Amino acid sequence: LIFIISLFLGTTITISSNHWVMAWTGLEINTLAILPLISKSHHPRAVEAATKYFLVQATASTLVLFSSMTNAWYTGQWDITQLTHSTSSLILTAAISMKLGLAPFHFWFPEVLQGSPLTTGLLLSTVMKFPPITLLFMTSQSLNPSLLTVLAILSVAMGGWMGLNQTQTRKIMAFSSIAHLGWMTIILVYYPKLTLLNFYLYAMMTAAVFLTLNSMKVLKLSTLMTAWTKAPSLSTILLLTLLSLAGLPPLTGFLPKWLIIQELTKQDMAPAAMIISLLSLLGLFFYLRLAYCATITLPPHTTNHMKQWHINKPISSSIAVLTTLSIMLLPISPMLAT
């Protein structure tokens, strides 16, 4: 409970601060609060994940502090929105990319997610990404558009390609997260509010998927194949949530993609929009693979896995609410577009 409270405290400090040092303090509290949650099981892999996470986040925090001090040295400003020095904004972009796990600084993220339990994985892919994204949002005026576009396209490409061959659900969710971050980054300079909207919808859909996987106790694709006997209705809903995460039209996930492509074409960036849309097809492939394993395959009768009994415990209300929102929010788009 103390760690969860510290997590939300650190997040709140960062998103409500105006001074760079306060923002940095919030990020540090966040990092220190999530470490025990990652290494809770004392499995060697969990300890390794916690160590990797600590090293990467410490490096990124140092860079955040360095860029803000450089900016203060040249301009005398400690205000977050006044990041006007060009070198500082470059260093900050690198630091926040490391914090978020944007390509080419994405290597730690799948490993850390694989080593931590599903609930901690959910925190890592949603709550922990929020403070760095708010920092990007506040400094979006002074960042370099072409650099962010390159990072975004790289992230969507890496997230798609490296997710293709995975069999572990947590790693697949990690690469999906990297690809979604690419979509958020590409629009950041032109329409920062869209970045936040994309993040909220992404967090909602990811929470739905993680909670579903957690309630079915699924860590690998092979267990997902036999999980349909355990909770048939949940598996069916998981199919729709995954397709929504992939961004297929009648579902919620299509909404941010649609608005982002529209805004990019307004900014004369049709080629970038085309590249990023084509690269998100790679993501669609592994979401379809997850969905196929969850619902469409009836495994052969000679599996090595224990068949699981049908559970009669009701689906938790949070999963019900989140999946409903992840599937049915597309009709609110006219309201957002205005």
Side-chain angles (χ1 to χ4, degrees), residues 225-238:
M225 283 186 182
T226 51
W228 59 274
T229 50
K230 202 154 83 162
S233 54
L234 205 52
S235 298
T236 315
I237 295 177
L238 179 64

Side-chain angles (χ1 to χ4, degrees), residues 96-156:
I96 300 286
S97 304
M98 280 177 84
K99 280 246 170 245
L100 288 171
L102 267 174
F105 307 105
H106 63 284
F107 293 101
W108 61 274
F109 189 52
E111 302 291 328
V112 170
L113 218 58
Q114 181 58 30
S116 46
L118 278 168
T119 38
T120 311
L122 168 60
L123 287 176
L124 279 172
S125 7
T126 53
V127 182
M128 299 301 288
K129 308 257 172 185
F130 189 46
I133 281 193
T134 49
L135 287 181
L136 278 184
F137 179 79
M138 287 190 274
T139 54
S140 61
Q141 304 312 314
S142 43
L143 298 175
N144 183 344
S146 44
L147 173 68
L148 283 177
T149 308
V150 170
L151 287 182
I153 290 176
L154 255 179
S155 297
V156 180

Side-chain angles (χ1 to χ4, degrees), residues 86-103:
S86 57
T87 316
S88 304
S89 65
L90 277 177
I91 298 172
L92 182 84
T93 310
I96 300 286
S97 304
M98 280 177 84
K99 280 246 170 245
L100 288 171
L102 267 174

Side-chain angles (χ1 to χ4, degrees), residues 27 48 133 155 185 195 210 226 228 241 244-245 265 274-275 292 300 332 335:
L27 291 172
E48 181 193 350
I133 281 193
S155 297
T185 318
T195 300
F210 265 113
T226 51
W228 59 274
T241 318
S244 179
L245 207 50
T265 41
M274 188 180 73
I275 292 170
Y292 185 77
I332 65 164
M335 187 173 82

